[in-house]
Amino acid sequence: MPAVKRTATAAETPAAKSAGAARSAPAKALDRLGLTTPIALALHLPMRYEDETRLVPIAEAQAGRSAQVEGTVTDCRVEFRPRRQLVAHLQDDAGDELVLRFVNFYPSHQKALAAGQRVRVRGEVRGGFFGREMVHPQFRGVGEDTPLATELTPVYPASAQLPQVYLRKAVAAGLRRADLSEVLPRDAVPAGLPSLREALFFLHQPPASAGLATLEDQSHPAWQRLKYEELLAQQLSQMQSRRERARLKAPVLTRRGGGLHDQLLAALPWGLTGAQQRVGDEIAADLAIDQPMHRLLQGDVGAGKTVVAALAAAVAMDAGWQCALMAPTEILAEQHFAKLVQWLEPLGVTVAWLTGRRKGKARQAMLDKVASGEAGLVVGTHAVIQDDVHFAKLGLAIVDEQHRFGVAQRLTLRHKLQAGEATGGLQMEPHLLMMSATPIPRTLAMTYYADLEVSTIDELPPGRTPIVTKLIAESRRLEVIERIRDEVVKGRQVYWVCPLIEESESEGDGRGKPLSELSNATQTHADLTAALPEVGVGLLHGRMPPAEKAAVMAQFSGGQMGVLVATTVIEVGVDVPNASLMVIEHAERFGLAQLHQLRGRVGRGAVASVCVLMFSNPLSETGKQRLKAMAETNDGFEIARRDLDIRGPGEFMGARQSGDALLRFSDLAEDSGLLELAREVAPRLLDAHPGAAKAQVARWLGARAEFLKA
Ligand code: ADP
Ligand code: MG
């Protein structure tokens, strides 16, 4: 299989579907794949090709390779050893023999392969015990002069309800009807690349002479053109939204010597790391400009992003504006709230607290404080962006773990600053600071976030002892439980994370987890309670009522509980520095980023911490690679890089940025040269040929272009 990464959906706005008429199963399957317009079909590229243009003499067919041969059946019979199977012997014109073997077969097979029939056969050649053979080859009866194909046969990504033959016809029709006219001026295309039309026709219907190798490794100029087109559209749309943003107004928030920012800094029990200082300055510089900031603050787990956010909030409040901090889960929001109250209330700031849990009068009281401006800082979950939340003057919006929020949610937050008294009647947007512990490799930042400034905390606070990660087979579970006892006896605390049962991770506060995950956690909780009677063991899972969750979390962070059994609700942000052992059960089921996040819950204080990744055999190849990566490095950037290697950028982003455009054809690691070119060309094109830029974006991103602006 060539390394083709691609989503099944088309890049266009789905065209009006043929109304009324009942659609056939394959037609419906096309719809489901998003192949509803000519251009979508034209962009549905083969994942590989079959060469039916040549016949190979049996004597030259190489074991392990696919080949097409032709000959006459000399013998065909059902054999019963080692099991029931149909075995046919084929002899080509040179007199060499090939055995055809079918374990599953029908009477029609026997008929078509009866002795004396001339057949054309295609399949992988094996060097069998009794000479060359093919198992379950494709075959068809031919005459002496049945012509060979003149083009390579494309094989498309399809589905069970969608036969290749049907799809081939649909794609060929789409290719003929799609508007593939050139929209780019000559100098916007690298020399030596074919037009889009030529490239697509070539890739769908390559001539027999086309080298399969360059097609399959995608180095062929036709592939290059396609990738370039896509990267260029991506860059254009990102740069366009950057320019649009630059025309928007935002409040000017200047850092004042001796103000709230400096007071907070002075009150902290430790000094900032150099990296924290640097990113703090970068943020402050953005805030002081009358254009909305759009900055991503990234830093490994435990790097200390929260205090940087608090300092930015202090700048905003000092300038007389409000700040909102939104976190994806109640637990995380609660922790932020506690920390920010501790830091800021002594300095005279009122911090409001908004979550879905808070209802009725208490909620109304908070809403009033937000609307009047009494609350300088508002912390909460999605509750912060509900319609009934009105800010007096929102100057800065901070989103923690931003990848857990959808584009629409970030947009809503940005629209929470209304034109009015506070803005002098002007339409303004608040500054936006996004935070993430999942670092984005540079090339990804360049494409997906060309519309974003990035600040990186690349240094951990001093005094941390690196986490030691151990891979331990499930069969040694009892030893692991003994380890827990040792740890608790030393006064330390332990997390035990229960396995992910389903891929579908729930949103928000984690309600709606599959029940099996819950029953598993409950069982483990019971087991550990029984095995460690002298130790307090708590249970935390997504189906618990929020109040109960908060209570358990409070007990654990307060040290009244030695062990916390949890589902992945603890994944993000939880900060209990005394926790020194993390056990992750069935670690092979988790993604790398998630494992890294989970592991980051320990090693947050000075004590040496251990992360035990328990796994069950047999391990898949990627499962093995992931665990190995975890054992080898603690560096989130390195982990992200390996994740990219293991999964490819499409999926890498897919898991994080649902809703944002994925690259279907380009591979950021391999196509960095084309990416650089696209980055260079995009601004020129926007200036000199705005119409062409628009057409390019529309063709490739369609309706999703709007979406990219958040
Ligand atoms: P993250 O970047 O993962 O959100 P946090 O903001 O939760 O990290 O910080 C992790 C821990 O490090 C917290 O307990 C925090 O108080 C502490 N911390 C942050 N900055 C420093 C610093 N400069 N020196 C010492 N400890 C720090
Ligand atoms: Mg955090």
Side-chain angles (χ1 to χ4, degrees):
M1 266 282 294
V4 180
K5 282 152 242 92
R6 154 177 338 140
T7 53
T9 51
E12 341 299 301
T13 331
K17 308 222 168 86
S18 60
R23 316 214 358 107
S24 67
K28 281 190 203 148
L30 276 187
D31 289 354
R32 272 197 300 277
L33 288 175
L35 302 176
T36 52
T37 60
I39 185 77
L41 284 158
L43 292 176
H44 191 66
L45 290 193
M47 51 188 181
R48 61 188 171 85
Y49 302 90
E50 276 165 5
D51 188 353
E52 296 175 291
T53 68
R54 295 182 303 136
L55 289 174
V56 178
I58 290 174
E60 286 169 28
Q62 290 177 26
R65 291 278 194 84
S66 190
Q68 177 168 251
V69 305
E70 191 173 304
T72 306
V73 179
T74 54
D75 180 47
C76 179
R77 67 183 68 196
V78 178
E79 290 180 3
F80 291 90
R81 263 175 302 187
R83 55 189 282 203
R84 187 170 179 271
Q85 52 183 294
L86 182 70
V87 179
H89 290 253
L90 188 75
Q91 191 173 52
D92 70 5
D93 295 343
D96 292 301
E97 276 234 335
L98 179 73
V99 174
L100 312 179
R101 209 176 282 280
F102 299 85
V103 178
N104 301 311
F105 61 93
Y106 300 97
S108 59
H109 280 79
Q110 280 159 283
K111 206 165 145 203
L113 293 170
Q117 296 289 344
R118 186 168 181 86
V119 287
R120 195 170 283 170
V121 185
R122 198 163 38 77
E124 187 176 309
V125 182
R126 288 195 198 166
F129 193 65
F130 298 107
R132 288 193 174 83
E133 64 174 40
M134 284 184 189
V135 179
H136 286 194
Q138 301 198 21
F139 65 90
R140 62 181 179 126
V142 289
E144 289 282 353
D145 48 6
T146 303
L148 287 163
T150 53
E151 290 156 359
L152 299 178
T153 311
V155 180
Y156 293 105
S159 60
Q161 296 77 29
L162 190 57
Q164 280 293 329
V165 181
Y166 184 95
L167 185 52
R168 266 175 210 149
K169 279 197 190 126
V171 169
L175 196 57
R176 280 193 308 274
R177 285 173 38 225
D179 172 15
L180 301 175
S181 55
E182 186 64 84
V183 300
L184 300 177
R186 272 240 64 78
D187 64 351
V189 182
L193 297 190
S195 71
L196 178 64
R197 161 181 296 278
E198 287 163 345
L200 284 175
F201 271 88
F202 184 88
L203 292 174
H204 285 292
Q205 300 162 359
S209 60
L212 264 181
T214 60
L215 281 178
E216 295 198 338
D217 73 10
Q218 302 187 356
S219 62
H220 192 281
W223 264 118
Q224 298 287 304
R225 171 71 199 234
L226 213 61
K227 293 170 172 216
Y228 176 73
E229 287 263 328
E230 178 179 55
L231 290 168
L232 184 60
Q234 243 274 347
Q235 290 301 308
L236 286 170
S237 101
Q238 293 277 326
M239 284 185 191
Q240 208 161 11
S241 43
R242 173 185 285 257
R243 288 179 179 197
E244 276 166 28
R245 187 187 319 281
R247 283 197 288 273
L248 294 172
K249 291 282 167 223
V252 173
L253 312 173
T254 28
R255 189 160 71 185
R256 190 165 60 90
L260 201 52
H261 171 277
D262 290 0
Q263 293 166 31
L264 172 56
L265 204 53
L268 289 172
W270 21 255
L272 296 185
T273 63
Q276 283 171 321
Q277 264 167 36
R278 176 172 45 75
V279 300
D281 290 346
E282 288 165 6
I283 293 165
D286 278 3
L287 294 178
I289 296 173
D290 66 346
Q291 283 168 15
M293 169 170 77
H294 199 227
R295 186 172 282 276
L296 176 71
L297 171 59
Q298 57 174 16
D300 210 344
V301 280
K305 295 182 288 295
T306 316
V307 71
V308 174
L311 288 164
V315 173
M317 292 186 286
D318 206 34
W321 291 75
Q322 285 170 298
C323 175
L325 172 61
M326 183 163 75
T329 66
E330 202 135 323
I331 290 182
L332 193 50
E334 171 117 34
Q335 270 193 39
H336 282 320
F337 179 69
K339 203 164 253 179
L340 292 166
V341 163
Q342 180 200 331
W343 284 339
L344 290 165
E345 276 195 353
L347 305 176
V349 173
T350 301
V351 187
W353 166 238
L354 277 178
T355 67
R357 205 168 115 203
R358 191 161 268 221
K359 298 213 166 71
K361 272 204 191 120
R363 175 173 171 83
Q364 195 51 51
M366 284 296 168
L367 291 182
D368 292 345
K369 280 188 187 176
V370 178
S372 69
E374 185 194 334
L377 178 58
V378 182
V379 180
T381 56
H382 301 74
V384 169
I385 50 171
Q386 300 310 306
D387 287 345
D388 61 349
V389 183
H390 301 284
F391 288 84
K393 42 189 316 195
L394 180 63
L396 170 63
I398 304 176
V399 181
D400 195 14
E401 307 295 345
Q402 62 97 21
H403 57 282
R404 303 271 294 230
F405 289 98
V407 173
Q409 290 165 324
R410 293 200 294 264
L411 265 180
T412 312
L413 193 51
R414 279 168 51 190
H415 292 150
K416 283 286 179 191
L417 175 58
Q418 302 285 331
E421 207 182 313
T423 69
L426 289 177
Q427 185 59 52
M428 283 193 181
E429 282 203 1
H431 296 280
L432 181 62
L433 178 65
M434 291 164 272
M435 303 199 283
S436 170
T438 307
I440 301 158
R442 204 183 84 89
T443 44
L444 276 179
M446 276 165 59
T447 34
Y448 290 99
Y449 298 105
D451 175 32
L452 199 66
E453 312 297 334
V454 179
S455 288
T456 304
I457 307 185
D458 53 5
E459 174 187 0
L460 293 180
R464 300 264 170 94
T465 317
I467 306 167
V468 174
T469 298
K470 295 187 172 161
L471 308 184
I472 295 185
E474 167 70 30
S475 52
R476 291 170 59 195
R477 193 184 179 94
L478 290 180
E479 283 173 55
V480 174
I481 293 177
E482 282 313 304
R483 244 338 265 281
I484 292 180
R485 192 194 309 277
D486 296 345
E487 212 63 20
V488 176
V489 164
K490 281 188 266 173
R492 307 278 155 65
Q493 288 167 287
V494 179
Y495 292 103
W496 181 296
V497 178
C498 292
L500 210 55
I501 305 281
E502 260 183 17
E503 271 275 45
S504 63
E505 260 265 66
S506 61
E507 287 289 304
D509 63 0
R511 267 186 289 257
K513 285 259 168 193
L515 201 63
S516 42
E517 199 163 313
L518 168 58
S519 57
N520 194 301
T522 314
Q523 186 59 47
T524 304
H525 176 249
D527 292 350
L528 289 182
T529 306
L532 305 166
E534 69 283 13
V535 174
V537 182
L539 175 63
L540 190 69
H541 61 77
R543 286 184 178 241
M544 275 159 68
E548 219 173 291
K549 255 195 268 183
V552 171
M553 212 47 232
Q555 276 184 301
F556 188 67
S557 32
Q560 293 107 290
M561 205 178 260
V563 181
L564 184 62
V565 176
T567 56
T568 49
V569 292
I570 62 150
E571 179 190 344
V572 286
V574 174
D575 186 30
V576 179
N578 189 46
S580 61
L581 175 61
M582 159 73 58
V583 179
I584 304 176
E585 211 181 326
H586 275 295
E588 75 279 2
R589 294 191 194 162
F590 293 87
L592 255 187
Q594 204 175 14
L595 286 174
H596 184 61
Q597 279 283 336
L598 286 169
R599 179 170 61 183
R601 300 309 111 218
V602 294
R604 300 177 83 83
V607 292
S609 297
V610 174
C611 173
V612 172
L613 301 178
M614 279 213 291
F615 63 89
S616 296
N617 284 311
L619 279 177
S620 71
E621 196 43 49
T622 49
K624 224 178 269 173
Q625 281 178 5
R626 283 201 297 260
L627 296 184
K628 188 160 168 277
M630 286 297 294
E632 283 173 4
T633 180
N634 276 324
D635 176 351
F637 286 84
E638 175 63 16
I639 299 242
R641 203 187 58 68
R642 299 223 195 164
D643 205 14
L644 195 61
D645 277 354
I646 297 172
R647 297 204 284 168
E651 252 191 273
F652 180 90
M653 292 311 295
R656 291 165 178 70
Q657 299 295 113
S658 43
D660 290 9
L662 301 180
L663 291 175
R664 299 168 64 197
F665 304 116
S666 348
D667 179 320
L668 292 177
E670 279 166 27
D671 304 322
S672 54
L674 289 174
L675 175 59
E676 295 285 352
L677 265 174
R679 271 169 65 84
E680 228 177 272
V681 168
R684 275 197 284 127
L685 203 61
L686 277 175
D687 291 335
H689 305 277
K694 206 169 155 203
Q696 180 73 5
V697 172
R699 174 178 280 168
W700 280 89
L701 301 170
R704 289 186 301 171
E706 257 313 298
F707 231 51
L708 286 171
K709 290 176 188 163

